[in-house]
Amino acid sequence: DTMGNLIGTTTEGGGNDIDISGRGGGVIYRFDGVALNVLYSFCSQSACADGVYPQGGVIMDENGNLFGTTFLGGKSNSGVVFELSP
């Protein structure tokens, strides 16, 4: 990001173990060189409506909004396109 932090995703983990693997639906994180901060944990909504298992990292727009995709979750369990605003 503009502050030099690393922003990325994990495909599992995050504590929401209601996903089909039982290992957590993944997270968006920020690493500032010292501390790792979870910005969002996927599969936090019923039936993983917010998506599960993010794929391909994130893209940040000029306003700091993060965009990406998930492998599964959403209305038909075919994944979602997500936006996370700062």
Side-chain angles (χ1 to χ4, degrees):
D1 67 8
T2 59
M3 302 294 290
N5 300 311
L6 176 66
I7 298 176
T9 61
T10 65
T11 55
E12 294 182 344
N16 295 323
D17 300 335
I18 60 173
D19 65 294
I20 58 172
S21 73
R23 294 181 292 232
V27 302
I28 302 172
Y29 65 85
R30 176 177 45 230
F31 181 64
D32 65 9
V34 177
L36 183 73
N37 298 296
V38 173
L39 303 176
Y40 190 80
S41 294
F42 288 94
C43 201
S44 63
Q45 298 176 5
S46 177
C48 298
D50 57 333
V52 60
Y53 313 135
Q55 304 288 302
V58 294
I59 297 172
M60 181 182 286
D61 71 8
E62 65 276 356
N63 297 317
N65 299 307
L66 300 171
F67 298 87
T69 60
T70 66
F71 181 65
L72 295 174
K75 287 185 179 181
S76 61
N77 201 32
S78 296
V80 301
V81 175
F82 63 84
E83 175 183 0
L84 180 66
S85 299

